[in-house]
Amino acid sequence: MAIRSVRYMGDPLLSARAQEVSHFPSAALTELVGDMKDTMAALNGAGLAAPQIGVPLRIVIFGVQANPRYPEVAGVPDTVLVNPVVEAIGDDEEEGWEGCLSVPGMRGLVPRYQRIRYRGFDLEGTPIMREAEGFHARVVQHECDHLDGILYPLRIRDLRFFGYESVLFPEGMEASDR
Ligand code: NI
């Protein structure tokens, strides 16, 4: 397994729709996801999508440890999701600050559905289906957007709320990069 280089906004691969995974489990898939985990951990990300390391397949990983210093930010289970599908539960949205390993140093205020249902498969092909809300739902929507070529700045409604993290949050911010 290895840390791979992350593609940055402007790379055409990040604007393209990724392809469904058709065969799993497979050794190649296991190796790819291992590289994704290593890369995400090395960069302190909350999630990563395969296209971000140059692989145009519909695979995302995510996970955030609950941090007792920030009890308002709930943990998100460590998850590998292949061929994910996300649907909103209800119309409620909320705005929240996001960052992205493909848009380093920036933050933006992004509307997301407050509650979602998502499904997909783990590495062995076992179905996963969950409901999520709040930060968990936000992370999943952000990562799955990558598979459709959508980076979070495209979702920002008011670009006054998009800028450099060091300027927006000079004293730091609780949420990690994603
Ligand atoms: Ni991202």
Side-chain angles (χ1 to χ4, degrees):
M1 291 190 268
I3 296 167
R4 305 265 291 261
S5 62
V6 171
R7 309 264 178 137
Y8 291 162
M9 188 168 71
D11 188 313
L13 204 140
L14 294 175
S15 301
R17 186 184 183 281
Q19 296 301 304
E20 273 76 16
V21 174
S22 53
H23 293 93
F24 52 106
S26 77
L29 199 61
T30 301
E31 184 177 344
L32 169 62
V33 169
D35 286 356
M36 289 172 66
K37 287 179 176 175
D38 287 352
T39 303
M40 185 177 103
L43 298 173
N44 256 325
L48 191 72
Q52 290 182 274
I53 60 166
V55 178
L57 291 173
R58 302 186 79 78
I59 305 169
V60 300
I61 64 172
F62 50 83
V64 180
Q65 299 300 313
N67 185 333
R69 286 166 61 204
Y70 306 109
E72 71 279 11
V73 178
V76 179
D78 284 322
T79 303
V80 176
L81 206 54
V82 180
N83 296 341
V85 176
V86 178
E87 56 184 344
I89 301 175
D91 297 327
D92 289 349
E93 294 181 346
E94 60 187 7
E95 303 258 359
W97 289 98
E98 295 187 14
C100 180
L101 296 176
S102 293
V103 194
M106 309 294 286
R107 295 280 169 177
L109 196 59
V110 182
R112 299 286 185 188
Y113 289 113
Q114 209 276 329
R115 293 187 66 211
I116 61 168
R117 182 177 296 111
Y118 67 92
R119 54 194 164 84
F121 301 89
D122 70 11
L123 267 182
E124 282 71 45
T126 306
I128 294 172
M129 188 194 286
R130 293 184 188 142
E131 292 185 5
E133 60 180 22
F135 181 61
H136 182 175
R138 174 172 300 278
V139 170
V140 173
Q141 289 170 85
H142 176 115
E143 296 310 327
C144 291
D145 259 359
H146 277 294
L147 306 181
D148 293 325
I150 299 170
L151 296 174
Y152 80 82
L154 278 66
R155 299 271 189 204
I156 297 172
R157 292 199 174 124
D158 183 343
L159 283 167
R160 289 176 297 179
F161 298 100
F162 179 51
Y164 292 96
E165 181 178 357
S166 58
V167 177
L168 289 164
F169 304 101
E171 290 169 19
M173 128 175 242
E174 72 287 356
S176 57
D177 284 318
R178 51 185 174 270

